[in-house]
Amino acid sequence: MISMTGYGRAQVREDNIQVVVESKSINHKFLEIAVKIPSKFISYESKIKKLVQDKITRGRVEIFLNSAENRKDSDVIVNNKLAYKYLEAFKSLQKQLNIHGEITLDMFLNIPEVLLSVERKYNIESYWKIVKHTVEESLLKLIDMKKKEGAVLYQDISKRIESIRKLVNNISLKAPDIINGHKKRLEAKVKEILKTGDTSVKSEIMNLIQRYDFTEELVRLNAHLKYFRQTIDKEKIIGKKLDFILQEINREANTIASKVNNLEISQYVVTIKTELEKVREQVQNIE
C-alpha cells in the first residue's frame, strides 16, 4: 500500500554544477505533474515528466529544480592587436612631446575594447545526465516516504476493516432469530386474514417475508470485506479499487438497515457506517 502524499529532496554536485531537486506529492484523483525549472532547462520538462510517470501512477506531483554553477558565465580576453597599437601610439607620443616615464598596464585598463568580456558558451544538453540523476534520487526519497505513510495507513485501515468484520459477524449471529421471528409474525397475520376469506393479500405478504430477509446481503457483505482484505494484502496500486469496494460494502449495509426493525442491529449498522467513513477518508490518500 502506497500513500499519495510524500516529499523527497536530492542534491548532486558534478564538475562545476550543482543541481537540487525537491519533489512532493499530494492527493489527486488522477496523475497530475507540475515541473518548475529554470528557463535554461526548459527543454528537460517533458523528460522529467516521463521520469515521474514511470514511477508514480496517481496524485499531484510537483518537481522543483534549481542549479548553481561555480564557473563564470563569461571569459575575459585581451585584444592584443589593439593593445600593441596603443603601445606604439604611447611611445610615439612620448617621443614627439619629449615626455619621459614608464608605460604601465594601468594605462590600458580603461581603453575600450582592449579587454573584452565574451559570454561563455556551453551545451545545455550536456547537463541532462546530472539533472536526470538528481530527479531520480529525489523521486526515490519521495516514494520511500509514500511507502512509509502507506504502511501507517495499512495498519489503521486493517484495524477498522477487522472491526467492521466483527460487527457483521455479530449481525450474522442474530440474523436467523430476527428473520424467523419476523416470518412468524407475518405468517400469523396471514392466517388471521385467511380466516376472513380474503386471499388477495397472501402473495403480497409472502413478498414482504422475502423482503425482510437480509441473509443475501450478509453473504455479499462478507464477500466484499474478504475481497477488500485480499486487495490491501496483495496489490500495490489499489486506491480506486478500494474506493469501489467500499461503495459496495456501504450499499449492503444500507440495505440491511432498511430491512431490519431491530434496535441492536441498527446500532451495529450505524457503527459499521461510521467505520466505513473513516476508512474511506484514509483510502483517499492511497495511490
Side-chain angles (χ1 to χ4, degrees), residues 182-193:
H182 189 70
K183 284 181 179 179
K184 287 178 181 179
R185 287 192 296 273
L186 285 175
E187 286 170 353
K189 279 198 175 190
V190 170
K191 288 178 181 179
E192 288 181 14
I193 293 171

Side-chain angles (χ1 to χ4, degrees), residues 67-84:
S67 67
E69 295 176 72
N70 292 332
R71 64 185 183 182
K72 297 180 179 179
D73 290 331
S74 61
D75 289 323
V76 177
I77 63 173
V78 179
N79 188 335
N80 291 310
K81 289 184 179 180
L82 184 61
Y84 279 120

Side-chain angles (χ1 to χ4, degrees), residues 32-49:
E32 182 179 297
I33 304 169
V35 179
K36 298 179 181 179
I37 53 179
S39 57
K40 65 181 178 181
F41 290 144
I42 196 65
S43 61
Y44 294 163
E45 183 173 356
S46 60
K47 292 180 180 181
I48 292 173
K49 286 185 176 181

Side-chain angles (χ1 to χ4, degrees), residues 3-7 23-34 56-64 142 146 149 284-287:
S3 169
M4 275 195 284
T5 58
Y7 174 82
S23 56
K24 68 177 183 178
S25 62
I26 57 175
N27 300 351
H28 198 275
K29 193 173 183 180
F30 305 104
L31 177 61
E32 182 179 297
I33 304 169
I56 297 174
T57 61
R58 192 174 177 221
R60 175 177 169 81
V61 182
E62 296 181 345
I63 302 292
F64 302 90
L142 169 68
K146 282 157 60 73
E149 290 194 10
Q284 301 309 309
N285 296 321
I286 297 173
E287 185 174 337

